[in-house]
Amino acid sequence: MTDDEFERVNEDGASVDDFATRAIHAGWDPDPETGAIMPPVYASSTFAQDAPGEDRGYEYSRTGNPTRTALEDNLASLEGGEYGRAFASGMAAINTVLNLLESGDHVVVGRDVYGGTHRLFTQVYEDYDLEFSFVDATDLKAVEAAMTSATELVWIETPTNPLMQIVDIEAVADVAHDGDALLAVDNTFATPYLQRPLAHGADIVAHSLTKYLGGHSDVVGGALVTDDPDLDERLGFSQNSVGATPDPFACFLVLRGTKTLPVRMDRHSENARRLAAWLDDHPAVEGVHYPGLDSHPGHDIAAAQMDDFGGMLSVEFDATLEAVRTVVSETEVFTLAESLGGVESLIEHPATMTHAAVPAAERRETGITDGLVRLSVGLEGIDDLRTDLQRAIEAGIGG
């Protein structure tokens, strides 16, 4: 894909160069006393007050910490939002959104979501009298049909995990808002460099900072971004009250990651595009799920709401479970591991790893077969990645 085919321009008219500048500078100016370029890791649990109840902006690190503030401001800027909140993990961020709800509320959820999200919704919050309806979020009529008078939240991912389905954010936002519900979008796979859901009508954007925003497989974190001050206040109240906040060093590591997000995502996307095209023609491959392929059913929507197609793809093999287990175990450049979004390429088997918590019958109904393999395509040389996969496919399946 050439620069002419994909002109990266944000919805407000700002160029990709502006995004790259904000990725490096938003949230922190050089320290006026020392000139420090990077924000210090403020490893302090508490802060001195000038008088009882008179602090200098910080009182206790669970409530607020200067390193965390720098990260939250940076993330808000990248998503084109006004308010950012950082958390100890992506799941802590998702849990905070559910803390907005009350007993008896109803949530419409895209069927193809991360297994941990499914587990939280069905095995934790259903016990607190929240009701969840899992639907094909790519089918607008299915989303509309699932809405009830008790629906307070619609939760989607796009691209989805692990089937890489594309959901029309603006269309689903209209459905949610017509029903007086909030729309939350997990933007982890796309990152704000490739997609900014707030510009398409979302109320809340969620991230696992562990993935592309951190980018180096060395930190765990989560985030929420919104434009709504009242909503941010409610999220902040829960963030402080529950205390699932990241430590200052974790915030520092994610800030280090966001500075290189644009250059990393360009390479992730380039490698994934080339690998998807190669796999799509491979005789042992039944199908490839990657929105950058013209054959992908969500390709046109993805091209309209994303600036590129990202570094995640999944592959279908018409083979036995044992054969597929051999494929994912025989790679050498791809590492067999859960998670995604680091500089190194990862391979995993959703049915037995990331989505094992989803009941088998529900996995099959969603389309997560025993033959499905998910790839997080890293920054290695593309020829090395192809050679590694070819050798592993030959070892497990042949061809």
Side-chain angles (χ1 to χ4, degrees), residues 71 91 143 154 178 189 209 221 223 264 307 326 333 373:
L71 172 61
M91 294 311 304
V143 178
V154 177
D178 285 346
F189 273 24
L209 301 177
R264 286 188 289 107
D307 293 329
T326 299
V333 180
V373 172

Side-chain angles (χ1 to χ4, degrees), residues 208-259:
S208 171
L209 301 177
T210 313
K211 312 306 193 297
Y212 288 108
L213 289 166
H216 294 80
S217 301
D218 56 7
V219 64
V220 174
L224 299 172
V225 178
T226 184
D227 271 334
D228 186 327
D230 294 331
L231 192 53
D232 175 68
E233 185 175 354
R234 293 168 65 196
L235 294 171
F237 175 82
S238 181
Q239 177 193 45
N240 181 48
S241 299
V242 175
T245 51
D247 67 84
F249 186 63
C251 296
F252 174 87
L253 288 175
V254 178
L255 272 170
R256 183 190 64 175
T258 62
K259 290 178 183 294

Side-chain angles (χ1 to χ4, degrees), residues 130-187:
L130 291 182
E131 182 184 357
F132 298 87
S133 295
F134 290 84
V135 302
D136 179 0
T138 68
D139 182 352
L140 203 59
K141 288 187 166 77
V143 178
E144 292 172 338
M147 299 288 291
T148 74
S149 59
T151 305
E152 296 291 334
L153 175 68
V154 177
W155 182 277
I156 62 171
E157 298 174 358
T158 184
T160 64
N161 182 6
L163 293 175
M164 302 302 297
Q165 296 175 337
I166 299 298
V167 180
D168 188 328
I169 299 172
E170 187 170 345
V172 174
D174 288 342
V175 172
H177 297 157
D178 285 346
D180 294 325
L182 297 172
L183 174 63
V185 179
D186 187 330
N187 200 33

Side-chain angles (χ1 to χ4, degrees), residues 29-327:
D29 292 323
D31 184 82
E33 292 187 15
T34 66
I37 294 295
M38 285 295 289
V41 178
Y42 285 93
S44 182
S45 61
T46 191
F47 299 85
Q49 299 190 19
D50 296 325
E54 296 181 13
D55 59 57
R56 303 174 195 177
Y58 298 95
E59 57 185 45
Y60 189 64
S61 266
R62 185 190 71 244
T63 306
N65 178 283
T67 313
R68 191 172 95 210
T69 297
L71 172 61
E72 291 174 334
D73 290 348
N74 180 270
L75 296 173
S77 175
L78 296 187
E79 277 291 357
E82 291 293 326
Y83 311 98
R85 299 282 177 176
F87 297 86
S89 68
M91 294 311 304
I94 296 171
N95 185 78
T96 299
V97 176
L98 293 189
N99 286 344
L100 298 172
L101 305 179
E102 298 178 351
S103 177
D105 286 346
H106 175 249
V107 183
V108 175
V109 188
R111 179 175 292 159
D112 185 29
V113 291
Y114 168 53
T117 302
H118 185 281
R119 180 178 56 224
L120 178 70
F121 289 1
T122 60
Q123 297 184 38
V124 178
Y125 274 94
E126 281 189 348
D127 289 342
Y128 290 87
D129 198 27
L130 291 182
E131 182 184 357
F132 298 87
S133 295
F134 290 84
V135 302
D136 179 0
T138 68
D139 182 352
L140 203 59
K141 288 187 166 77
V143 178
E144 292 172 338
M147 299 288 291
T148 74
S149 59
T151 305
E152 296 291 334
L153 175 68
V154 177
W155 182 277
I156 62 171
E157 298 174 358
T158 184
T160 64
N161 182 6
L163 293 175
M164 302 302 297
Q165 296 175 337
I166 299 298
V167 180
D168 188 328
I169 299 172
E170 187 170 345
V172 174
D174 288 342
V175 172
H177 297 157
D178 285 346
D180 294 325
L182 297 172
L183 174 63
V185 179
D186 187 330
N187 200 33
T188 297
F189 273 24
T191 80
Y193 181 59
L194 303 183
Q195 178 174 268
R196 291 159 296 281
L198 294 177
H200 297 284
D203 300 289
I204 302 171
V205 179
H207 281 283
S208 171
L209 301 177
T210 313
K211 312 306 193 297
Y212 288 108
L213 289 166
H216 294 80
S217 301
D218 56 7
V219 64
V220 174
L224 299 172
V225 178
T226 184
D227 271 334
D228 186 327
D230 294 331
L231 192 53
D232 175 68
E233 185 175 354
R234 293 168 65 196
L235 294 171
F237 175 82
S238 181
Q239 177 193 45
N240 181 48
S241 299
V242 175
T245 51
D247 67 84
F249 186 63
C251 296
F252 174 87
L253 288 175
V254 178
L255 272 170
R256 183 190 64 175
T258 62
K259 290 178 183 294
T260 60
L261 180 66
V263 292
R264 286 188 289 107
M265 291 310 299
D266 283 343
R267 180 60 177 264
H268 282 299
S269 298
E270 178 188 356
N271 275 356
R273 278 197 303 274
R274 296 173 68 181
L275 204 61
W278 173 72
L279 287 165
D280 200 38
D281 287 333
H282 198 288
V285 172
E286 184 78 6
V288 177
H289 303 283
Y290 185 67
L293 294 173
D294 290 342
S295 58
H296 189 285
H299 174 78
D300 290 343
I301 295 174
Q305 68 187 22
M306 299 177 69
D307 293 329
D308 206 336
F309 302 111
M312 298 298 301
L313 62 93
S314 54
V315 186
E316 295 271 3
F317 294 102
D318 184 12
T320 65
L321 175 59
E322 194 57 38
V324 174
R325 288 173 65 93
T326 299
V327 172

Side-chain angles (χ1 to χ4, degrees), residues 13-35:
S15 70
V16 66
D17 291 334
D18 174 69
F19 184 99
T21 301
R22 286 184 287 114
I24 294 170
H25 294 286
W28 177 258
D29 292 323
D31 184 82
E33 292 187 15
T34 66

Side-chain angles (χ1 to χ4, degrees), residues 336-350:
L336 177 61
E338 297 188 6
S339 198
L340 57 105
V343 295
E344 63 288 311
S345 292
L346 302 179
I347 189 169
E348 68 102 7
H349 184 240

